[in-house]
Amino acid sequence: MIILFANQKGGVGKSTLSVLFSNYLSLAKNKPVKVYDMDFQRSLYNKAQAAEVIDNEPLYPVEAAELSQFTSIQKKASNQVSIIDLAGKMDDDELVPVFRKSDLILCPFSYDEYSVSSTIEFSFVILKINPKAKIIFIPNRVRSSVKYETMKSVQEALKNFGVVTNSITERIDFQRITTYDIPANIIEVIEPVFESIYNEYIDPAWHKTNT
């Protein structure tokens, strides 16, 4: 499978959730994972390199990659889960085959006005490129102490494009994640969301491919 973490809005937690989801698939589900960092900031790749410097055994390989490499990535994707962390942009024609050929698009967003409008615009473009795209919206960095008055209307709007998961609440610990472990206090936050995505989309596709 090829899974994208994508949204044209930056700062919504794509790279953080890419790491956590990769860790989860590797540790909790024992799936072979390879991660491709296509974000120009290379924060995910740099995090993996930093882990190697202090002699931590990597759970999976992390490669810095360009959009132009997608065809070769696609050819290598059999018998593993390939996770791609995309940059927050839509102005590159090389994104077209990426959105057309990926199996699942995980789209983190926040409940602020700009994030929501950017996410809806992003979804319009995705479905124009690939009307059959599977988009999973993940409300991220949600503060449990804040009442989001537009939450219900935002969820209803996004359901026109895909599926909205339960929220992932804001935790200071997310700033200290690594590519080789998931702290217990973070697992309890992410597991309900990741487990539902895995059971609904990844596990059935995995069994279908390997039978």
Side-chain angles (χ1 to χ4, degrees), residues 20 23 173 176-178 181-190:
L20 289 171
N23 291 0
D173 301 340
R176 298 189 288 267
I177 64 166
T178 69
D181 190 24
I182 308 177
N185 58 338
I186 291 182
I187 289 177
E188 66 184 25
V189 177
I190 63 171

PDB file of all heavy atoms in Angstrom, residues 20 23 173 176-178 181-190:
ATOM      1  N   LEU A  20       4.307   8.793  13.867  1.00  0.00           N
ATOM      2  CA  LEU A  20       3.533   8.004  14.823  1.00  0.00           C
ATOM      3  C   LEU A  20       2.810   6.841  14.148  1.00  0.00           C
ATOM      4  O   LEU A  20       2.755   5.732  14.694  1.00  0.00           O
ATOM      5  CB  LEU A  20       2.532   8.900  15.546  1.00  0.00           C
ATOM      6  CG  LEU A  20       3.137   9.882  16.552  1.00  0.00           C
ATOM      7  CD1 LEU A  20       2.082  10.864  17.045  1.00  0.00           C
ATOM      8  CD2 LEU A  20       3.753   9.123  17.727  1.00  0.00           C
ATOM      9  N   ASN A  23       5.402   4.205  13.259  1.00  0.00           N
ATOM     10  CA  ASN A  23       5.761   3.478  14.478  1.00  0.00           C
ATOM     11  C   ASN A  23       4.668   2.484  14.863  1.00  0.00           C
ATOM     12  O   ASN A  23       4.946   1.348  15.242  1.00  0.00           O
ATOM     13  CB  ASN A  23       5.968   4.455  15.636  1.00  0.00           C
ATOM     14  CG  ASN A  23       7.207   5.316  15.469  1.00  0.00           C
ATOM     15  OD1 ASN A  23       7.929   5.200  14.483  1.00  0.00           O
ATOM     16  ND2 ASN A  23       7.448   6.188  16.430  1.00  0.00           N
ATOM     17  N   ASP A 173       3.868  16.195  24.660  1.00  0.00           N
ATOM     18  CA  ASP A 173       4.764  15.079  24.371  1.00  0.00           C
ATOM     19  C   ASP A 173       4.937  14.839  22.874  1.00  0.00           C
ATOM     20  O   ASP A 173       5.930  14.211  22.463  1.00  0.00           O
ATOM     21  CB  ASP A 173       4.220  13.787  25.007  1.00  0.00           C
ATOM     22  CG  ASP A 173       4.076  13.904  26.510  1.00  0.00           C
ATOM     23  OD1 ASP A 173       4.713  14.789  27.083  1.00  0.00           O
ATOM     24  OD2 ASP A 173       3.327  13.124  27.113  1.00  0.00           O
ATOM     25  N   ARG A 176       8.208  15.573  21.256  1.00  0.00           N
ATOM     26  CA  ARG A 176       9.400  14.783  21.586  1.00  0.00           C
ATOM     27  C   ARG A 176       9.338  13.373  21.006  1.00  0.00           C
ATOM     28  O   ARG A 176      10.030  12.475  21.489  1.00  0.00           O
ATOM     29  CB  ARG A 176       9.570  14.722  23.100  1.00  0.00           C
ATOM     30  CG  ARG A 176       9.797  16.077  23.752  1.00  0.00           C
ATOM     31  CD  ARG A 176      10.176  15.938  25.206  1.00  0.00           C
ATOM     32  NE  ARG A 176       9.049  15.532  26.017  1.00  0.00           N
ATOM     33  CZ  ARG A 176       8.240  16.373  26.658  1.00  0.00           C
ATOM     34  NH1 ARG A 176       8.449  17.672  26.544  1.00  0.00           N
ATOM     35  NH2 ARG A 176       7.234  15.939  27.389  1.00  0.00           N
ATOM     36  N   ILE A 177       8.549  13.172  19.969  1.00  0.00           N
ATOM     37  CA  ILE A 177       8.425  11.825  19.408  1.00  0.00           C
ATOM     38  C   ILE A 177       9.697  11.426  18.671  1.00  0.00           C
ATOM     39  O   ILE A 177      10.481  12.277  18.246  1.00  0.00           O
ATOM     40  CB  ILE A 177       7.210  11.724  18.464  1.00  0.00           C
ATOM     41  CG1 ILE A 177       7.389  12.642  17.254  1.00  0.00           C
ATOM     42  CG2 ILE A 177       5.919  12.002  19.195  1.00  0.00           C
ATOM     43  CD1 ILE A 177       6.423  12.353  16.138  1.00  0.00           C
ATOM     44  N   THR A 178       9.887  10.116  18.518  1.00  0.00           N
ATOM     45  CA  THR A 178      11.051   9.575  17.826  1.00  0.00           C
ATOM     46  C   THR A 178      10.582   8.582  16.766  1.00  0.00           C
ATOM     47  O   THR A 178       9.398   8.216  16.721  1.00  0.00           O
ATOM     48  CB  THR A 178      11.990   8.849  18.801  1.00  0.00           C
ATOM     49  OG1 THR A 178      11.344   7.646  19.256  1.00  0.00           O
ATOM     50  CG2 THR A 178      12.332   9.723  19.998  1.00  0.00           C
ATOM     51  N   ASP A 181      10.136   4.602  18.828  1.00  0.00           N
ATOM     52  CA  ASP A 181       9.338   4.237  19.997  1.00  0.00           C
ATOM     53  C   ASP A 181       8.089   5.119  20.054  1.00  0.00           C
ATOM     54  O   ASP A 181       8.045   6.191  19.454  1.00  0.00           O
ATOM     55  CB  ASP A 181      10.166   4.424  21.274  1.00  0.00           C
ATOM     56  CG  ASP A 181       9.475   3.842  22.499  1.00  0.00           C
ATOM     57  OD1 ASP A 181       8.640   2.932  22.320  1.00  0.00           O
ATOM     58  OD2 ASP A 181       9.779   4.289  23.624  1.00  0.00           O
ATOM     59  N   ILE A 182       7.062   4.634  20.782  1.00  0.00           N
ATOM     60  CA  ILE A 182       5.875   5.439  21.078  1.00  0.00           C
ATOM     61  C   ILE A 182       5.662   5.406  22.585  1.00  0.00           C
ATOM     62  O   ILE A 182       5.363   4.349  23.141  1.00  0.00           O
ATOM     63  CB  ILE A 182       4.594   4.912  20.392  1.00  0.00           C
ATOM     64  CG1 ILE A 182       4.800   4.715  18.894  1.00  0.00           C
ATOM     65  CG2 ILE A 182       3.432   5.872  20.637  1.00  0.00           C
ATOM     66  CD1 ILE A 182       3.583   4.126  18.198  1.00  0.00           C
ATOM     67  N   PRO A 183       5.817   6.532  23.278  1.00  0.00           N
ATOM     68  CA  PRO A 183       5.565   6.550  24.718  1.00  0.00           C
ATOM     69  C   PRO A 183       4.123   6.142  25.037  1.00  0.00           C
ATOM     70  O   PRO A 183       3.204   6.407  24.254  1.00  0.00           O
ATOM     71  CB  PRO A 183       5.819   8.012  25.095  1.00  0.00           C
ATOM     72  CG  PRO A 183       6.701   8.533  24.016  1.00  0.00           C
ATOM     73  CD  PRO A 183       6.291   7.812  22.771  1.00  0.00           C
ATOM     74  N   ALA A 184       3.937   5.494  26.183  1.00  0.00           N
ATOM     75  CA  ALA A 184       2.623   4.965  26.565  1.00  0.00           C
ATOM     76  C   ALA A 184       1.563   6.053  26.615  1.00  0.00           C
ATOM     77  O   ALA A 184       0.403   5.827  26.236  1.00  0.00           O
ATOM     78  CB  ALA A 184       2.727   4.255  27.912  1.00  0.00           C
ATOM     79  N   ASN A 185       1.930   7.248  27.094  1.00  0.00           N
ATOM     80  CA  ASN A 185       0.931   8.308  27.208  1.00  0.00           C
ATOM     81  C   ASN A 185       0.487   8.848  25.847  1.00  0.00           C
ATOM     82  O   ASN A 185      -0.581   9.452  25.725  1.00  0.00           O
ATOM     83  CB  ASN A 185       1.438   9.450  28.086  1.00  0.00           C
ATOM     84  CG  ASN A 185       2.723  10.059  27.561  1.00  0.00           C
ATOM     85  OD1 ASN A 185       3.452   9.419  26.807  1.00  0.00           O
ATOM     86  ND2 ASN A 185       2.998  11.279  27.960  1.00  0.00           N
ATOM     87  N   ILE A 186       1.295   8.629  24.806  1.00  0.00           N
ATOM     88  CA  ILE A 186       0.896   9.020  23.458  1.00  0.00           C
ATOM     89  C   ILE A 186       0.066   7.912  22.801  1.00  0.00           C
ATOM     90  O   ILE A 186      -0.876   8.192  22.062  1.00  0.00           O
ATOM     91  CB  ILE A 186       2.122   9.372  22.598  1.00  0.00           C
ATOM     92  CG1 ILE A 186       2.761  10.673  23.107  1.00  0.00           C
ATOM     93  CG2 ILE A 186       1.748   9.520  21.128  1.00  0.00           C
ATOM     94  CD1 ILE A 186       3.953  11.134  22.304  1.00  0.00           C
ATOM     95  N   ILE A 187       0.409   6.669  23.087  1.00  0.00           N
ATOM     96  CA  ILE A 187      -0.343   5.542  22.522  1.00  0.00           C
ATOM     97  C   ILE A 187      -1.822   5.665  22.840  1.00  0.00           C
ATOM     98  O   ILE A 187      -2.691   5.455  21.984  1.00  0.00           O
ATOM     99  CB  ILE A 187       0.210   4.200  23.040  1.00  0.00           C
ATOM    100  CG1 ILE A 187       1.590   3.917  22.434  1.00  0.00           C
ATOM    101  CG2 ILE A 187      -0.744   3.052  22.694  1.00  0.00           C
ATOM    102  CD1 ILE A 187       2.236   2.657  22.945  1.00  0.00           C
ATOM    103  N   GLU A 188      -2.138   6.018  24.065  1.00  0.00           N
ATOM    104  CA  GLU A 188      -3.547   6.085  24.453  1.00  0.00           C
ATOM    105  C   GLU A 188      -4.317   7.168  23.701  1.00  0.00           C
ATOM    106  O   GLU A 188      -5.535   7.083  23.550  1.00  0.00           O
ATOM    107  CB  GLU A 188      -3.663   6.329  25.965  1.00  0.00           C
ATOM    108  CG  GLU A 188      -3.149   7.675  26.439  1.00  0.00           C
ATOM    109  CD  GLU A 188      -3.195   7.843  27.949  1.00  0.00           C
ATOM    110  OE1 GLU A 188      -3.172   6.814  28.661  1.00  0.00           O
ATOM    111  OE2 GLU A 188      -3.255   8.999  28.412  1.00  0.00           O
ATOM    112  N   VAL A 189      -3.599   8.161  23.167  1.00  0.00           N
ATOM    113  CA  VAL A 189      -4.233   9.233  22.400  1.00  0.00           C
ATOM    114  C   VAL A 189      -4.436   8.823  20.942  1.00  0.00           C
ATOM    115  O   VAL A 189      -5.493   9.062  20.358  1.00  0.00           O
ATOM    116  CB  VAL A 189      -3.386  10.529  22.472  1.00  0.00           C
ATOM    117  CG1 VAL A 189      -4.009  11.619  21.602  1.00  0.00           C
ATOM    118  CG2 VAL A 189      -3.263  11.002  23.911  1.00  0.00           C
ATOM    119  N   ILE A 190      -3.415   8.192  20.366  1.00  0.00           N
ATOM    120  CA  ILE A 190      -3.462   7.906  18.933  1.00  0.00           C
ATOM    121  C   ILE A 190      -4.102   6.567  18.590  1.00  0.00           C
ATOM    122  O   ILE A 190      -4.618   6.391  17.481  1.00  0.00           O
ATOM    123  CB  ILE A 190      -2.047   7.952  18.316  1.00  0.00           C
ATOM    124  CG1 ILE A 190      -1.155   6.862  18.927  1.00  0.00           C
ATOM    125  CG2 ILE A 190      -1.428   9.336  18.486  1.00  0.00           C
ATOM    126  CD1 ILE A 190       0.176   6.698  18.242  1.00  0.00           C
TER     127      ILE A 190
END
